Amino acid sequence: MHLSSAIVSLTFALVAVGQDVSIAAVKKAFTNANIPTDLDIVFQPTALLEVSLPQTAGPPITLHAGIQVPRNDTAGPPTFHVAGNVGKGPFVVATVDPDAPTPQAPTSAQIRHFLGGNFVLNSGGLLVNSTPAISEFRQPTPPAGSDAHRYIFLLFKQSPAFATQTLVNSSTPVQLFNISQFAAAVDLGNPIAGTFMLVAPAA
């Protein structure tokens, strides 16, 4: 069950520029926002996932877990860095919205906002890949009148089964996705890092 009160309490967070610096703090933010329960995942991160959203003017917005970002600042596509001893890859990055169309009645959730594999770490911790994403990044679009939605970024170690999976492709509907079922089906295991942002409807 979604804890809409937890989401509402988080929507008053201020937009800030600065990444997550504590795995324990990220895990606590996920728990407070009821994310492991709502996604049916085990979240025991061993690294930090840094997600940065480019801006048309000014520096990028770098997420910290639970930050609220104005919808107009979320066009992306984001860049990803990893801090932690996780090897060179390959990795899978997934982004989902479990609150569509509203946190109180998430009948379309999860919405798949990004799914890409074959990411590897370069020397500066940047995740790079040379293959198209399965699902290109979709800008958050919570409907008018909705509370803020959670947009959750998860990092997985890529399995051999992911490269040959046929469950999801570029034309598969993005609605009613289930990241835990997908991860289990392609043997991704539990996410090794993650973060999330809150985005409310555009004013």
Side-chain angles (χ1 to χ4, degrees):
M1 181 177 292
H2 283 61
L3 292 184
S4 59
S5 60
I7 300 169
V8 171
S9 67
L10 286 168
T11 60
F12 295 99
L14 297 177
V15 172
V17 178
Q19 73 258 32
D20 293 312
V21 296
S22 164
I23 292 174
V26 172
K27 182 179 178 183
K28 182 177 180 181
F30 267 61
T31 299
N32 289 346
N34 213 45
I35 290 171
T37 298
D38 289 344
L39 296 188
D40 192 24
I41 60 171
V42 174
F43 190 63
Q44 297 287 349
T46 58
L48 293 169
L49 176 63
E50 179 183 305
V51 179
S52 296
L53 295 165
Q55 303 299 302
T56 55
I61 293 176
T62 300
L63 306 188
H64 60 78
I67 186 175
Q68 181 153 356
V69 180
R71 193 262 173 188
N72 291 339
D73 293 340
T74 62
T79 58
F80 307 109
H81 286 78
V82 178
N85 186 17
V86 295
K88 295 293 186 180
F91 302 99
V92 172
V93 178
T95 308
V96 295
D97 170 9
D99 299 321
T102 69
Q104 292 78 15
T107 54
S108 299
Q110 302 156 18
I111 303 295
R112 190 175 63 256
H113 278 261
F114 181 79
L115 181 63
N118 299 315
F119 283 96
V120 294
L121 278 179
N122 72 9
S123 58
L126 176 69
L127 284 176
V128 295
N129 74 351
S130 58
T131 58
I134 296 173
S135 297
E136 296 290 349
F137 182 73
R138 298 171 63 89
Q139 183 176 11
T141 54
S146 175
D147 291 335
H149 289 203
R150 297 164 294 175
Y151 294 87
I152 303 158
F153 297 82
L154 298 171
L155 179 71
F156 297 87
K157 289 189 174 181
Q158 185 170 315
S159 63
F162 179 86
T164 59
Q165 68 85 25
T166 57
L167 297 173
V168 178
N169 58 45
S170 59
S171 60
T172 305
V174 297
Q175 302 94 332
L176 301 176
F177 182 64
N178 187 305
I179 187 58
S180 64
Q181 290 181 6
F182 178 79
V186 300
D187 199 27
L188 291 180
N190 299 320
I192 60 173
T195 192
F196 71 101
M197 63 181 173
L198 300 168
V199 181

